[in-house]
Structure formats: C-alpha cells, structure tokens
Amino acid sequence: MPEKRIATSKVAGTWAWALQRLTAVLLIVLLGIHIWVDHFADIDPEETLTVAGVEARLDQVLYVVVDYCLLAMVLFHGLNGARTVMFDFDIFAKRKKTIDVALWVLGIATLIWGIVVLFPFIGVSGW
Amino acid sequence: MAADEVTIKVQRFDPAADSMPYWQTYKVQAKPGMTVLDALFEILNHQDGSLAFRFCCRAGVCGSCAMVISGKARLACETQVTAIRGDEILLSPLPHQKIIKDLACDYTLFFDRLKKVKPYLVGKEPYPEREYIQSPKERVPINEPIDCIMCGSCTSVCSMAWWSKDYLGPAALLKSYRFLVDTRDSIPDERLDIIESEDGVWRCHTQFNCVEACPKKLNPTEAIQRQKMKVFKRKLLGRRKKK
Amino acid sequence: MKVSSFKWLFGKNSEFWPTNMKTGMWAWVGHRLTGVLLVVYVFLHLSFLSQASLDHLSFDALMEKMAEPLFVFFDFLLVCAVIYHAMNGLRVVLFDLGIGIRNQKLVFWIMMAISAVMVAVGFWAISVLIIGGD
C-alpha cells in the first residue's frame, strides 16, 4: 500500500456534507410545496396536467422562485449524491478532479436548461 | 452421531497450494463450557495439524481470534459452541483481508490505517513529574472507546472500508475519537486535520455494520458521528487559537 | 484469489455484501438505490417540461398518456421512493446531529411507520386525483 494517497480536497468533504444535509431538509419542504401546488392546490382539476395549468401556476412569482430554488437544490443534492456514490468506489476516486469538473459542468448546464425551459410559461401568454 | 457432537465447517485456504478457498468439515465432541477456540484446538491437536488460526489470550482481551462464526464476526474465545444455532458451525476468516492461511489474515492494511490517526497519547507540556492526573469525571468520555481490543471486526465488515482502501475505517476512527476526547491529549487540532477528509470521517454513511460486528459492543458509528460534528464546528467557527 | 463474478456477488462466502446485513445496511442500500433512481427522474422530469416549452400539443398528449394506469402506477412508485429517501434521509440527518444513534433500529422503524402513513396518504391522493380527473 502506498504510504499516503489522500488527495481529497479537505474543503469539499466538509462543505459537501453540510450542504447535502442542508439541501436535504430544504428539499423536503420545497418538494412538499411543489407537489401540493402542482396537484392539489385550488386549481381546476381538468387543467392540472395541461399547459394551461402549468401557465396558471407559474403566474405566481413566489411559485417560480420556489421552482427555481427546488431545481438548484435538487441538482446539487442529486449530483453531489452521485459524486459520493462514485467516490465510495476506489476506481472512480482516482479521477476525483475530472469527475468534480464534469459534475459541475453538468449541474450548471442543467440548471440553465431548467431555467430557460420555464421561460415560456412565466407570467405571460406568449403563445 | 452422538448427541453432543458438533459439526464444524472451516474455510480452508493456503495461497501457496490452493486456487480457491474450500470448506472442510470436522466433528468435535462438545464439552460443557467449550468455546469455538477450544474446538479449534481439539481439531488442531487430535484431527488436523495443518489448520491455521490466530489466538493469544483466550479471554477476549487481545482480539487475535476474531473470525466470522456462522455469518457474524465474533471472538472465537468468547463464543460458546452451544450458543450457535443451526446444525453446523461455519468458520471463515474476517472478510476482505488477505488470507495468510485458513483463518489467519494479514492485518497490514488494518494497522496502516490505525497508524494514520496517531493512536497514542501526545502529552501536554510541561510534562508532569509522575503521571497525568485525570478526574473520574474527565475519564467518563473515554470509558467506552478505551475498551477497543483492535480485533479488526468492524473495519473488515465495513463496506466503505472494502471499497475505498484509503478510508480510515471504524476502528481507526474510534481510536482517533478516544484520543480526541482525552483531556490529557494535546493535539486535538492535528487529529481533526487527519480525519477531516473524504477518506476520513466523511466516508462513513452510517451503515452500522461496525456496531453489529463489534464483539465488545462498542459504537464506532457514534464516535465517527461525534467527530463529524467536531470537524464541522471547527470549519464553521475557525480554529481555536493556541494558548 | 480468482472467483467468478457471480460467486463473488452472491456466493455463500460472498465478499461483496457485509457478513451480517442488518437494518442499518439495508436502510443504506435502499437509500442509495432510491437516490440514483431519483436523480434519473429529475432529468426525465426536465426533459418532459422542455417538451412542453417547445410544443404545447405534444405536452398535453404526453400528459394524457401519463394518466394511463401503468404510468400512474409508476407515479406511485416514485412517490414511495421519494418518501423513503426523505424519511431515511431525515434519519441520517438526526444521526448527524447526534440524535438516536444508539437506537438506530428503533429510529428506522419509526421513520418507516411515518413513511407508511405518508405512502397511504399518497395512494389515496393519487386515486382521488384519477377519479376526480376523469
């Protein structure tokens, strides 16, 4: 066994853990709101799962904020979770930096994608 | 078959001669109070002199005879033959260690991990004339972790310790905790530096395999969790200034 | 030591699984599996939404397809996975705060009891939605 092969960023370990816990708790709250508003809040049941329903919900600024926060947190929590899953196995742990960069790129790209995706629905009747 | 005869199946493996481990069956006459280690001696002395296993104190103090007994990590010297349910007793070495022969494993990795956490007391200056004084109250936090006999059961059943060879493992982290909370120790910051890593405390995902395995009924998971909190608090509040 | 991969995974003396899998380990395995599943779902969810932003009709058609029993069943499974992941995650957070480590099995079953209630509520809510939506 090599004498010392600990190449882990010490910062990542502690903050990743803390943020994983923080987002976990916030996700439970935000996801609760998301599911409630999407399916059960006082909106015409006929339109719950239609474009019109989506547009009606996204007219509320607060709900847009909730959705975007949810997206950011879910991406962090999910991708950081995936990172943990990968690094638990020795094979991936040797390529920590590459995987870190790849996950950040994937996360930020998905976040932008997710933000853009909702644009047509927010507050206007574009189409 | 006599009523008090027990069947013992031992996983045999000699890296020099065998390509795969295999099971060998022995029959031993059970005597009152017979432990699994006694039974192994019975086999060694009267049936098969080629059987290899580790032992030392025969009283649950040294941790040499830890092995997997019928699917659970236990100390052979503290397990009664009659206490094992089922028709036969299965004996295999602790998992995920290099087998030297039969039930004896190579503990090099285990002790390498242990050495990383500085498993010794670093005293405070000025050094006392005689011993360090510790009140009974100050001793309370280390009452439990000091009981660790380093048998290696916890680290060998920890799935994180299998996959990531750099992970310190529950035994080393319990040892680290034992010195971290010791009032006589003078390098808490250095100890936190060692364990503050993704191969330190953060690799633990509270599977509790170590707690299930510990023959001394210690709780390495709790020690690791408390150290996580200490590491996080230091990160949040900054290092304490040296006096 | 060379062992066939099947034996290595599932054999009598498998070195893949912990020797004595108990509550804590199973809880973790479930947490991992649901976690990976949910990450996949998030990307699926986003791609459905982007479908909507591109083309209204296909989104509405897609959602109608989603109302079919099979997909509603998948929905229910999703709800179960989310609830399990959330409740077990809460248990892990409790351990991180130093609560209940000595009684981890009890904490697990309490969390599972809460999850069972939530799953029942979820089942009821989904069935109401379907009946109400029809």
Side-chain angles (χ1 to χ4, degrees), chain A residues 17 21 28 31 34 39-40 46 49-51 54-55 71 74-75 77-78 84-85 88 106 110 113-114 117-118 120-121 127, chain C residues 28 32 36 39 42-43 45-47 49-50 52-54 56 59-60 63 82 85-86 90 92-93 96 125 129 132-134:
Chain A
W17 168 85
R21 268 50 182 180
I28 294 179
L31 200 61
H34 184 73
H39 297 288
F40 304 104
E46 288 288 327
L49 287 175
T50 59
V51 173
V54 176
E55 275 176 351
L71 178 67
V74 108
L75 280 174
H77 192 85
T84 311
V85 172
D88 282 345
L106 177 66
T110 316
W113 177 35
V117 151
L118 284 192
F121 301 110
W127 291 327
Chain C
W28 176 82
R32 277 275 144 113
V36 172
V39 170
V42 166
F43 284 92
H45 191 64
L46 276 177
S47 69
L49 262 178
S50 63
S53 72
L54 293 173
H56 283 191
F59 179 75
D60 283 356
M63 284 304 121
V82 168
H85 197 84
L90 218 53
V92 173
V93 170
D96 283 332
L129 265 189
D134 270 343

Side-chain angles (χ1 to χ4, degrees), chain B residues 9 11 13 19-21 23 68 71-72 88 90 92 95-96 99 144 157 159-160 162-163 205-209 212 219 221-222 225 228-229, chain C residues 1-4 7-8 12-26 28 32 91-92 95-98 100-102 104-105:
Chain B
K9 269 183 148 182
Q11 186 193 304
F13 181 59
S19 60
M20 277 269 287
W23 293 90
V68 177
K72 190 183 180 309
E88 50 193 30
L90 295 173
S92 53
H96 285 262
I99 298 173
E144 198 190 290
V157 299
S159 70
M160 289 302 128
W162 305 346
W163 294 326
H205 302 310
T206 56
Q207 296 172 328
F208 292 97
N209 288 328
E212 299 287 351
N219 205 318
T221 309
E222 191 183 56
Q225 293 301 91
K228 280 181 186 171
M229 228 34 195
Chain C
M1 165 172 37
K2 275 181 186 168
V3 190
S4 80
K7 255 192 176 168
W8 186 75
K12 195 175 185 182
N13 217 31
S14 164
E15 296 226 321
F16 187 74
W17 304 99
T19 317
N20 198 23
M21 278 181 74
K22 288 283 175 66
T23 324
M25 184 65 187
W26 284 117
W28 176 82
R32 277 275 144 113
R91 167 176 165 270
V92 173
F95 293 158
D96 283 332
L97 296 172
I101 301 173
R102 297 264 162 173
Q104 55 108 352
K105 286 178 188 173

Side-chain angles (χ1 to χ4, degrees), chain B residues 3 10 13 20 23 32 95 103 109 117 119 134 137 154 156 171 176 179 196-197 225 229 240:
Chain B
V10 183
F13 181 59
M20 277 269 287
W23 293 90
L103 299 173
L109 181 58
V117 301
Q134 198 177 33
K137 206 179 152 193
C154 53
S156 85
S176 161
F179 288 107
E196 182 187 358
S197 148
Q225 293 301 91
M229 228 34 195
R240 270 168 294 167

Side-chain angles (χ1 to χ4, degrees), chain C residues 79-118:
Chain C
V79 166
C80 292
V82 168
I83 289 172
Y84 175 79
H85 197 84
M87 286 298 110
N88 192 53
L90 218 53
R91 167 176 165 270
V92 173
V93 170
L94 285 182
F95 293 158
D96 283 332
L97 296 172
I99 303 164
I101 301 173
R102 297 264 162 173
N103 304 311
Q104 55 108 352
K105 286 178 188 173
L106 181 68
V107 174
F108 177 76
W109 291 115
I110 290 172
M111 284 303 176
M112 285 307 103
I114 298 172
S115 304
V117 173
M118 290 169 79

Side-chain angles (χ1 to χ4, degrees), chain B residues 20-179:
Chain B
M20 277 269 287
Y22 60 96
W23 293 90
Q24 191 161 346
T25 309
Y26 301 98
K27 291 200 190 296
V28 174
Q29 208 65 26
K31 295 176 193 126
M34 189 187 227
T35 63
V36 172
L37 189 65
D38 292 337
L40 282 170
F41 274 122
E42 188 73 21
I43 296 167
L44 184 74
N45 293 336
H46 302 294
Q47 298 181 27
D48 187 349
S50 71
L51 186 68
F53 56 92
R54 269 221 182 83
F55 71 95
C56 187
C57 73
R58 312 177 201 205
V61 181
C62 73
S64 296
C65 63
M67 59 182 74
V68 177
I69 301 174
S70 290
K72 190 183 180 309
R74 300 176 233 232
L75 296 177
C77 66
E78 285 204 319
T79 309
Q80 294 283 314
V81 165
T82 46
I84 309 292
R85 280 180 288 173
D87 299 333
E88 50 193 30
I89 299 171
L90 295 173
L91 301 182
S92 53
L94 289 178
H96 285 262
Q97 312 219 53
K98 215 167 93 193
I99 298 173
I100 296 172
K101 188 171 184 294
D102 301 338
L103 299 173
C105 315
D106 186 354
Y107 271 58
T108 312
L109 181 58
F110 177 78
F111 283 111
D112 278 348
R113 282 166 162 160
L114 199 66
K115 278 176 207 155
K116 279 185 191 167
V117 301
K118 303 204 170 181
Y120 42 81
L121 192 86
V122 179
K124 278 179 188 154
E125 283 184 84
Y127 301 119
E129 289 279 312
R130 298 176 68 183
E131 68 275 347
Y132 286 100
I133 307 294
Q134 198 177 33
S135 71
K137 206 179 152 193
E138 285 171 332
R139 155 87 198 208
V140 170
I142 61 168
N143 272 346
E144 198 190 290
I146 212 167
D147 281 347
C148 173
I149 56 175
M150 292 185 276
C151 63
S153 299
C154 53
T155 301
S156 85
V157 299
C158 172
S159 70
M160 289 302 128
W162 305 346
W163 294 326
S164 175
K165 299 286 180 223
D166 293 335
Y167 175 40
L168 293 169
L173 286 168
L174 180 70
K175 194 54 87 183
S176 161
Y177 178 72
R178 175 247 175 279
F179 288 107

